[in-house]
Amino acid sequence: MIKKIAIVFFIMTALVSCKQQDVKEEEEIKPEAKDSTILGADQDENGCLASAGYTWSKLNKECVRAFTGIQLNPSDNIATEDVTLCAYVLFNENGDKAEVFMPDEKSFILTRSAEGKPWIFEDYQLVPWKGYVLKKAGVVIYSGDGEIGNKVTGSDNPEEGE
């Protein structure tokens, strides 16, 4: 009788320890869930966070929000409220250089030879006239009233008439 009990005990112990071994192996095989969100993953090569509206300024050598500059609306849709179609201008401290940020995210720097003269880069000209006018090959492509940032239309007070 003791032999039978010992054999049953031995078999039960072997089965239980094998089962625990299988469970441990399954846990080790399961890949751990990882957070796929990487902070700062949308940084450009200069470290600017595009999701926060920053882009690299060649003129100022830092990350800037171009839309805080002077807004220029496309000449074929001057009353547009779609800011993704607009160009923006930022100036350096002494005003002899201007960086234009185009809607396609490219930017270029224009230089002015003297006060009152236009800023020029290749076939682009930024002319200070009733605000600013951006021309390409002599044709007006953008213009704006010289105000900084997005234009506000209407009133945010619902009691005022529109």
Side-chain angles (χ1 to χ4, degrees):
M1 168 99 174
I2 292 182
K3 281 186 173 183
K4 287 184 181 178
I5 293 175
I7 291 174
V8 170
F9 180 74
F10 178 74
I11 292 173
M12 294 296 286
T13 306
L15 288 174
V16 170
S17 44
C18 287
K19 188 65 175 170
Q20 287 179 346
Q21 184 67 21
D22 290 344
V23 171
K24 285 181 182 177
E25 286 178 12
E26 285 178 19
E27 288 175 358
E28 291 173 1
I29 293 173
K30 289 181 186 176
E32 290 184 26
K34 294 183 180 178
D35 184 6
S36 62
T37 305
I38 300 172
L39 297 177
D42 68 334
Q43 288 183 345
D44 66 11
E45 63 274 3
N46 296 299
C48 301
L49 288 174
S51 62
Y54 287 94
T55 188
W56 183 252
S57 169
K58 299 172 196 171
L59 182 63
N60 296 315
K61 306 276 190 273
E62 64 182 349
C63 297
V64 298
R65 288 183 165 172
F67 57 85
T68 62
I70 295 173
Q71 180 176 326
L72 302 177
N73 294 341
S75 62
D76 60 349
N77 190 1
I78 202 73
T80 186
E81 291 187 19
D82 184 355
V83 295
T84 62
L85 301 175
C86 298
Y88 294 89
V89 180
L90 295 174
F91 295 96
N92 66 347
E93 285 184 24
N94 55 2
D96 63 341
K97 294 185 184 220
E99 185 169 9
V100 175
F101 294 87
M102 300 297 277
D104 62 4
E105 297 184 17
K106 78 171 186 175
S107 72
F108 50 88
I109 298 173
L110 301 105
T111 305
R112 176 168 74 169
S113 60
E115 192 169 331
K117 299 277 186 178
W119 292 264
I120 298 172
F121 172 73
E122 294 177 354
D123 58 346
Y124 288 96
Q125 283 189 346
L126 181 65
V127 181
W129 183 73
K130 294 185 181 180
Y132 294 94
V133 174
L134 181 64
K135 296 179 179 183
K136 182 173 182 175
V139 177
V140 175
I141 56 173
Y142 288 94
S143 63
D145 59 10
E147 296 295 318
I148 293 178
N150 298 337
K151 295 179 188 283
V152 178
T153 57
S155 172
D156 60 355
N157 186 346
E159 294 177 8
E160 290 183 19
E162 292 193 21

